[in-house]
Amino acid sequence: DAGITQSPRHKVTETGTPVTLRCHQTENHRYMYWYRQDPGHGLRLIHYSYGVKDTDKGEVSDGYSVSRSKTEDFLLTLESATSSQTSVYFCAISEASLDTQYFGPGTRLTVL
Amino acid sequence: SQQGEEDPQALSIQEGENATMNCSYKTSINNLQWYRQNSGRGLVHLILIRSNEREKHSGRLRVTLDTSKKSSSLLITASRAADTASYFCGYTGNQFYFGTGTSLTVIP
């Protein structure tokens, strides 16, 4: 998986609790992305980062925040998880904005 | 939404046959990429075609791009059981979008 790890790989949590997912890369790529994958919707972009402390919103950013304090780490936070955020979350990286993306193994999140 | 659509949603073929899947997108693009996803895994990049290209080959893969119709197709020739996976197109408009995917089953 191109030097990308995600943690945790599985998480079950309750509605209203905060959740943070971590993406770590060893490739020194500038761009990092968070997607969610749901049946019938494919992958949808939540947030992305184009450098340390530089982030922007994607198509489905409501309810999510991100931070990138180091090149190698990109954090996705659900401030107050809801059942609609039950999904599989994928992190991806790329060297340039229009370039090939390399994906992590995913995190399965269940919000009860 | 600028999310693309793929058809068919599901495709089942015999080993050795060819598989064709199509992607319709909604924006002007710089390039279009195809990815494969095996069950429970992340996406793996297969091939990239730039907006000024019309056809590209890589091994058993052939990709075409028609920017006037905002569509692309992926052809897998001489399919194998190991090709069983979901296939997604991805493209860049004002951000990166993926299609909804085609689930391919290759029967040995």
Side-chain angles (χ1 to χ4, degrees), chain A residues 28-81:
Chain A
N28 201 36
H29 283 3
R30 179 181 174 190
Y31 288 79
M32 299 186 75
Y33 310 82
W34 277 107
Y35 293 91
R36 61 177 289 173
Q37 185 174 31
D38 304 289
H41 289 280
L43 278 86
R44 292 178 292 174
L45 182 65
I46 304 171
H47 282 281
Y48 66 99
S49 170
Y50 47 95
V52 174
K53 292 186 169 50
D54 293 323
T55 66
D56 207 348
K57 295 179 180 181
E59 186 181 9
V60 291
S61 60
D62 287 349
Y64 302 94
S65 62
V66 290
S67 65
R68 191 171 178 196
S69 59
K70 298 186 291 184
T71 298
E72 57 267 34
D73 290 325
F74 193 32
L75 303 180
L76 176 70
T77 297
L78 292 64
E79 300 290 347
S80 178

Side-chain angles (χ1 to χ4, degrees), chain A residues 1 9 33 35 37 40-45 48 57-59 90 97-106 108, chain B residues 1-3 30-31 33 35 37 40-45 48 50 88 92-101:
Chain A
D1 289 318
R9 294 292 315 279
Y33 310 82
Y35 293 91
Q37 185 174 31
H41 289 280
L43 278 86
R44 292 178 292 174
L45 182 65
Y48 66 99
K57 295 179 180 181
E59 186 181 9
F90 286 99
S97 65
L98 307 179
D99 210 352
T100 297
Q101 295 191 17
Y102 300 93
F103 282 78
R108 183 173 296 276
Chain B
S1 170
Q2 300 296 317
Q3 188 173 28
N30 293 286
N31 64 56
Q33 303 171 31
Y35 291 78
Q37 184 181 33
R41 306 289 296 273
L43 277 69
V44 175
H45 180 259
L48 180 152
R50 302 193 185 283
F88 295 87
T92 305
N94 61 338
Q95 62 181 242
F96 205 86
Y97 296 95
F98 281 92
T100 50

